Amino acid sequence: ILESTGMPPRRPPRRPLPSVISAGYANWGECDGKVELAARTGVNVIIWFAIELTVAPGGKPVVSGGPNLTCVADTAARLEAGGLPTHHFISVGGWDAPHPDPAVPLEAWWAALTSWDESAERAGLRGGFDGLDWDLEGNDDRSSPRSRFSAAGLRLVADLSARAKASGRFVSLAPPQSYLDASTDEFSLSLALPARCWHAEFAYAGRNAYAALLALAPPDTFDFVSLQLYESWSRAGCMLSRHRLPLGAYLALLVGEPRTF
């Protein structure tokens, strides 16, 4: 699984990320006053939610969903005019969403994503989106193909990430905690496993599948990782609620864990 394709040289981003990132997610398709309010109260990276990568009959890759692009562009312009420049990412995925199909070539997927981003620029978002945020997750139907990753699918995501980075965009990950948990070396491509720390009846957890993305992509491809500590019956919830570990102590433990990867 640990191989990836060659990528072109990287282009520098249009502007650097802030030294302290305060990222906030919009809701499904949301573009309203709450997004602006979040930026006015400290959010400096807005992650708009969410596009899906699907395949049309005949095999053509399609980018669908997401917020109204004109609304996104207008929001970005108002924030900049108000002295609140923000970075704008687009999220890919969400619960129950399809995973990009590795049967479609990398170049075809990249062309589809580039075309979609160009439509955002035509709508008025200067330069298009600043970055791509991967939020690929499982499915309510545990027998669905979307309840697991494939090795080829992870390679595709890693290569698309590298291509985005080379184009001057930022790339981030938003895994549920069980999908990237440095407290264990267990690994599986399945996203339909029992929770580890408590509530084993919850059978929608993962085992470090996102760690493969960190291994497959070139170094420094991913600019930041937002762990979903609110995942149902997550290890964070277990340590805080079941084991009564103080929040500060748990956060210190969590911050130190990635060094063990």
Side-chain angles (χ1 to χ4, degrees):
I1 180 172
L2 297 183
E3 13 175 295
S4 192
T5 59
M7 290 291 150
R10 289 181 180 175
R11 181 185 307 167
R14 295 193 303 272
R15 54 201 175 113
L17 282 170
S19 57
V20 177
I21 294 171
S22 176
Y25 282 79
N27 209 335
W28 292 90
E30 180 183 20
C31 181
D32 54 23
K34 289 190 293 183
V35 177
E36 286 193 51
L37 178 61
R40 296 185 189 282
T41 53
V43 169
N44 54 24
V45 175
I46 298 173
I47 302 178
W48 301 89
F49 204 75
I51 56 173
E52 295 185 354
L53 306 184
T54 57
V55 181
K60 181 180 178 180
V62 176
V63 180
S64 61
N68 180 287
L69 295 177
T70 301
C71 182
V72 171
D74 290 345
T75 300
R78 282 194 300 272
L79 291 173
E80 186 167 5
L84 291 168
T86 47
H87 286 72
H88 299 270
F89 284 44
I90 187 65
S91 179
V92 183
W95 187 257
D96 277 344
H99 303 166
D101 187 349
V104 176
L106 167 68
E107 294 302 332
W109 277 123
W110 181 242
L113 279 167
T114 300
S115 176
W116 183 85
D117 194 48
E118 288 170 349
S119 69
E121 189 164 15
R122 288 193 298 273
L125 185 62
R126 190 171 59 184
F129 282 88
D130 296 293
L132 192 65
D133 179 73
W134 293 106
D135 185 23
L136 300 171
E137 302 182 22
N139 193 271
D140 284 338
D141 180 1
R142 296 180 66 245
S143 65
S144 168
R146 299 178 187 177
S147 284
R148 67 179 294 111
F149 289 121
S150 67
L154 289 172
R155 263 187 219 108
L156 173 62
V157 172
D159 287 344
L160 283 171
S161 300
R163 187 57 58 91
K165 188 74 173 183
S167 73
R169 294 172 179 85
F170 300 105
V171 189
S172 57
L173 300 175
Q177 188 178 21
S178 66
Y179 295 19
L180 188 63
D181 183 357
S183 72
T184 176
D185 60 2
E186 292 181 39
F187 179 84
S188 175
L189 297 177
S190 174
L191 308 175
L193 298 170
R196 280 185 62 239
C197 188
W198 61 340
H199 289 277
E201 74 278 5
F202 176 75
Y204 293 94
R207 292 291 188 276
N208 277 322
Y210 269 60
L213 294 176
L214 297 177
L216 284 164
D220 301 322
T221 294
F222 301 108
D223 295 280
F224 61 91
V225 176
S226 301
L227 275 181
Q228 294 185 32
L229 302 182
Y230 57 86
E231 177 188 17
S232 297
W233 310 120
S234 68
R235 180 168 175 266
C238 176
M239 299 301 288
L240 296 172
S241 298
R242 181 181 181 185
H243 296 292
R244 303 294 181 183
L245 193 66
L247 177 59
Y250 178 66
L251 291 177
L253 176 66
L254 184 67
V255 169
E257 281 175 348
R259 300 171 192 163
T260 66
F261 263 128

